[in-house]
Amino acid sequence: MNLHEYQGREILNSFSIETPEGLLASSPEEAVKHAKIIFEKTRKKSLVIKAQILAGGRGKSGGIKIAKNLDEVYQKSKELLGKYLITSQTSGKGKLVKKVLISEDVYIFEKKSIVEYYFSILLDRNLERNIIIYSKEGGINIEEKSNIIYTEQIDPILGLQLFQTRKIGFNLGLSKDLLSKFNKFLKILYKAYQYYDSLLLEINPLIINKENKIIPVDIKMVLDDNALFRHKKYTNYNENEDINDLEKKAIKYDLNFIKLDGNVGCMVNGAGLAMATMDMIKLCGGKPANFLDIGGSADRERVKNAFSIILNDKSVKTILINIFGGIVRCDTVAKGVVDSYSKRNIKIPIIVRLQGTNEKNAKEILDNSKLPIYYTDSLKEAANKIREILLSL
Ligand code: GDP
Ligand code: MN
């Protein structure tokens, strides 16, 4: 699960790491209201308006704006809110800005030119441990700079050690009087990363102001989906993922559903069979509209919910059910399919390859249902039938 910048701040704050003063707004009016508070609190002559989207590269694409007064706050947040922001990290369509963060300008009043550090903790699956990647030259051009990038591996049993945090501080060229503060900062940061079962905690840029304050300017966090049940606060897919209504429904029913851009709906059990099925559909000239994996232990209700999701997908012109009945019995699948199809006034042809436990009963149930069903025992034949149906449309 990708978290927004404001959520990353919230998490660090809960570990008593200070972040710039900031308030979240979803309308220009609210932005102005919050800006008054930020101006008053910081006593600074400007603030920044930061588009909250789940993608970086905002700085270069107009997603970060400086405002010097309330009129500018109103104008500039109006320019961002409700618009699609296209950055180097979004699709061509961009991402809808639903909220902006009205945030303290942490670059102002800085006489010495500000150094923007890059700092991230992430899981390295090959090394089977967390690593820290950091650099003296962070900021918006990190990808293009030919800078020195350091890596530090963290032993899963020993955790982050003092000699390591010191080494990092030293490599970043921090002054002596800053080192102990920095050690403490990293220790807590790593704690926050671990506590939230994160895959990534990236701070870019991280700056140190003239009062030697360590300031995480931009925070990106990715939490491990498998551990989300431990972090209920961050399981709101509406807020954190760009998923469509069908996918939301699938999450609700705990089904694996992936929306694709073709017109053949696919219901399968097992990821391997799903891949083989889609390959076969493509090979025969079709294009999957989705795939839905009902898993290994589906009951009638689950199949019904699963099938309804496919039937509700407007791009679906025909459906392939390719299920191997092992623990899931074929008759259970047939009953679920009939339950969800029969009350609707539709005529979407279904190609069925149901093999395994209770397949005869399944066939009987489907026959009696009078649905537009074609049986086959071979996947190849199923795919060919699909092509035939698509050509006849
Ligand atoms: P990103 O482009 O999506 O990674 O967004 P960041 O939050 O990292 O901001 C990008 C750039 O905007 C930074 O590198 C800064 O140059 C600038 N920026 C961010 N915060 C501030 C701020 O408080 N004051 C000023 N003046 N500039 C900022
Ligand atoms: Mn950034």
Side-chain angles (χ1 to χ4, degrees), residues 151-188:
T151 322
E152 190 68 32
Q153 295 183 23
I154 303 166
D155 186 291
I157 293 168
L158 298 176
L160 184 62
Q161 297 289 293
L162 184 62
F163 80 89
Q164 296 182 296
T165 56
R166 288 175 71 94
K167 186 161 103 193
I168 295 169
F170 179 77
N171 283 337
L172 289 178
L174 303 185
S175 64
K176 260 204 183 122
D177 44 327
L178 239 170
L179 275 182
S180 72
K181 202 172 177 179
F182 187 71
N183 291 338
K184 219 166 114 194
F185 172 79
L186 284 200
K187 270 231 126 84
I188 305 174

Side-chain angles (χ1 to χ4, degrees), residues 100-308:
V100 291
L101 189 57
I102 304 300
S103 185
E104 171 183 7
D105 184 347
V106 285
Y107 287 54
I108 204 169
F109 291 159
E110 299 302 322
K111 284 205 188 71
K112 61 175 182 190
S113 64
I114 287 212
V115 182
E116 293 187 313
Y117 302 100
Y118 175 88
F119 185 89
S120 67
I121 312 172
L122 61 148
L123 173 68
D124 187 316
R125 292 182 192 275
N126 289 326
L127 293 170
E128 299 177 4
R129 54 185 61 193
N130 293 316
I131 61 170
I132 293 178
I133 296 179
Y134 60 103
S135 167
K136 245 193 256 194
E137 292 178 64
I140 54 173
N141 288 321
I142 175 108
E143 292 93 348
E144 289 138 45
K145 282 180 187 161
S146 57
N147 48 9
I148 303 170
I149 292 168
Y150 302 93
T151 322
E152 190 68 32
Q153 295 183 23
I154 303 166
D155 186 291
I157 293 168
L158 298 176
L160 184 62
Q161 297 289 293
L162 184 62
F163 80 89
Q164 296 182 296
T165 56
R166 288 175 71 94
K167 186 161 103 193
I168 295 169
F170 179 77
N171 283 337
L172 289 178
L174 303 185
S175 64
K176 260 204 183 122
D177 44 327
L178 239 170
L179 275 182
S180 72
K181 202 172 177 179
F182 187 71
N183 291 338
K184 219 166 114 194
F185 172 79
L186 284 200
K187 270 231 126 84
I188 305 174
L189 206 61
Y190 189 60
K191 221 186 211 169
Y193 170 88
Q194 283 194 303
Y195 181 84
Y196 275 95
D197 301 295
S198 320
L199 300 175
L200 174 75
L201 196 180
E202 182 186 72
I203 304 178
N204 183 38
L206 176 78
I207 63 169
I208 291 168
N209 73 1
K210 65 176 186 327
E211 285 133 20
N212 271 351
K213 230 180 177 174
I214 303 165
I215 306 174
V217 176
D218 180 21
I219 302 152
K220 176 178 177 178
M221 278 185 91
V222 180
L223 310 189
D224 186 342
D225 286 350
N226 297 307
L228 280 183
F229 69 97
R230 299 210 284 207
H231 310 293
K232 289 267 158 38
K233 189 169 181 195
Y234 299 107
T235 46
N236 183 353
Y237 282 87
N238 278 334
E239 185 84 16
N240 289 86
E241 296 294 335
D242 295 322
I243 54 174
N244 65 34
D245 289 345
L246 295 174
E247 286 170 316
K248 272 181 215 156
K249 220 178 217 151
I251 289 167
K252 190 173 138 206
Y253 294 131
D254 196 24
L255 294 158
N256 286 322
F257 175 81
I258 309 287
K259 178 80 190 100
L260 301 164
D261 55 8
N263 51 12
V264 184
C266 304
M267 189 164 85
V268 294
N269 61 337
L273 189 58
M275 294 302 134
T277 306
M278 280 189 289
D279 281 353
M280 196 53 96
I281 291 174
K282 279 216 136 179
L283 208 63
C284 295
K287 246 180 134 188
N290 54 47
F291 88 75
L292 205 149
D293 177 0
I294 58 168
S297 56
D299 59 15
R300 182 171 176 170
E301 189 63 22
R302 191 173 162 85
V303 175
K304 181 185 157 196
N305 290 332
F307 204 68
S308 302

